[in-house]
């Protein structure tokens, strides 16, 4: 049986179509695979960039958070220091006010007598200078001279009154030996301030830093 030209052409077209269809299917598959691979690579790169951006944003946010917390902590510490100084000033004024009332009280005379005896026992020299406030010179000068005269060691004591800043009490000096003993109210307040200030700061820290 012979095949006509038309039949040959039809057969050729069918074979060609099958070839093209097969080739296109392979190309389509390859193209799809390449496209999928490219999309995956681009997706990974995109995810990588997103991750980098997020990490950078996180670092920036953390740095900003750290800076804010540091600023808050600094403000808090400054406020604590300010509060400490304020309370310490109040404490100092309170002690001075108390001292001003104490030197006018009945117990002050006994305080002076007790401290004077203690000071004279400590000082070995015979020629001493006793420094008082002008107020105590007027109010207690005679009393102090009498107490000194009653002592068996008979020390020679010059009494002078110029130190208003000592508030009360006295300073006694042995100028020959260069010895000074400070029994003034001011010295007692300074010692009390140091101790009470330390105690105040410790208690305040417990409250403010809790």
């Amino acid at each position: 049986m012979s095949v006509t030209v038309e039949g040959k052409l039809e057969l050729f077209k069918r074979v060609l179509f099958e070839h093209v269809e097969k080739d296109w299917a392979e190309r389509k598959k390859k193209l799809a695979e390449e496209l999928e691979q490219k999309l995956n690579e681009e997706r990974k790169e995109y995810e990588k960039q997103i991750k980098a951006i997020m990490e950078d944003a996180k670092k920036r946010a953390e740095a900003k958070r750290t800076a804010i917390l540091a600023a808050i902590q600094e403000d808090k510490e400054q406020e604590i220091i300010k509060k400490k100084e304020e309370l310490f000033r109040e404490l100092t004024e309170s002690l001075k006010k108390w001292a001003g009332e104490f030197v006018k009280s009945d117990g002050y005379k006994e305080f002076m007598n007790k401290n004077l005896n203690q000071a004279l026992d400590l000082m070995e020299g015979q020629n001493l200078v006793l420094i008082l406030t002008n107020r105590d010179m007027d109010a207690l000068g005679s009393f102090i001279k009498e107490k000194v005269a009653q002592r068996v060691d008979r020390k020679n004591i010059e009494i002078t009154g110029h130190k208003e800043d000592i508030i009360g009490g006295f300073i006694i000096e042995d100028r020959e030996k260069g010895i000074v003993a400070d029994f003034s109210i001011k010295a007692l307040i300074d010692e009390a301030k140091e101790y009470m200030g330390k105690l105040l700061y410790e208690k305040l820290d417990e409250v403010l830093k809790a």
Side-chain angles (χ1 to χ4, degrees):
M1 181 179 177
S2 62
V3 180
T4 63
V5 173
E6 290 80 3
K8 289 180 180 179
L9 288 174
E10 187 65 30
L11 180 62
F12 176 75
K13 285 194 295 183
R14 187 170 65 250
V15 171
L16 180 62
F17 178 77
E18 289 175 355
H19 172 74
V20 170
E21 190 176 50
K22 182 180 179 182
D23 183 66
W24 169 245
E26 291 176 355
R27 287 177 180 274
K28 183 180 178 181
K29 181 181 178 183
K30 185 178 180 181
L31 183 63
E33 290 174 351
E34 290 176 352
L35 182 61
E36 181 66 22
Q37 183 179 355
K38 186 175 181 181
L39 287 173
N40 286 336
E41 290 174 355
E42 289 180 351
R43 188 182 296 111
K44 288 179 181 179
E45 181 63 25
Y46 176 75
E47 290 174 351
K48 183 179 178 181
Q49 291 178 7
I50 290 294
K51 185 178 180 181
I53 291 171
M54 291 179 67
E55 287 179 353
D56 183 64
K58 183 179 179 181
K59 288 179 181 178
R60 289 175 182 271
E62 186 63 29
K64 188 173 182 179
R65 176 177 176 273
T66 301
I68 291 172
L69 289 176
I72 291 172
Q73 182 64 25
E74 184 178 354
D75 289 344
K76 182 180 178 182
E77 289 175 357
Q78 289 297 323
E79 188 63 29
I80 290 173
I81 291 172
K82 183 179 177 182
K83 191 64 178 177
K84 284 180 178 179
E85 291 174 347
E86 179 185 336
L87 290 176
F88 191 71
R89 282 195 300 270
E90 291 177 2
L91 172 65
T92 301
E93 291 304 314
S94 175
L95 288 172
K96 287 181 179 179
K97 184 178 179 181
W98 168 83
E101 296 298 323
F102 176 66
V103 297
K104 300 174 185 177
S105 69
D106 295 336
Y108 179 60
K109 190 174 183 179
E110 179 58 30
F111 166 84
M112 287 288 282
N113 182 44
K114 182 178 179 180
N115 280 356
L116 180 61
N117 285 326
Q118 183 180 354
L120 293 174
D121 288 340
L122 290 172
M123 304 297 281
E124 296 179 354
Q126 290 298 310
N127 298 307
L128 307 174
V129 178
L130 188 68
I131 302 171
L132 307 171
T133 64
N134 287 329
R135 177 192 172 281
D136 285 346
M137 277 285 291
D138 295 336
L140 301 175
S142 298
F143 169 76
I144 291 172
K145 289 177 181 178
E146 181 183 341
K147 289 297 179 181
V148 170
Q150 291 174 358
R151 290 181 61 89
V152 295
D153 49 14
R154 297 289 181 176
K155 294 179 185 289
N156 178 33
I157 299 178
E158 175 190 349
I159 301 176
T160 180
H162 298 290
K163 289 278 186 177
E164 295 299 337
D165 60 334
I166 68 174
I167 302 174
F170 58 86
I171 297 173
I172 190 166
E173 299 180 0
D174 183 341
R175 292 179 178 173
E176 293 177 357
K177 296 184 178 181
I179 298 173
V180 178
D182 193 342
F183 285 79
S184 69
I185 296 290
K186 182 180 182 300
L188 293 175
I189 288 177
D190 289 342
E191 291 176 9
K193 280 197 305 184
E194 183 177 352
Y195 169 74
M196 293 180 70
K198 182 180 179 181
L199 185 63
L200 175 68
Y201 284 3
E202 289 175 354
K203 295 299 181 184
L204 192 61
D205 281 341
E206 292 177 6
V207 174
L208 296 179
K209 292 186 177 181

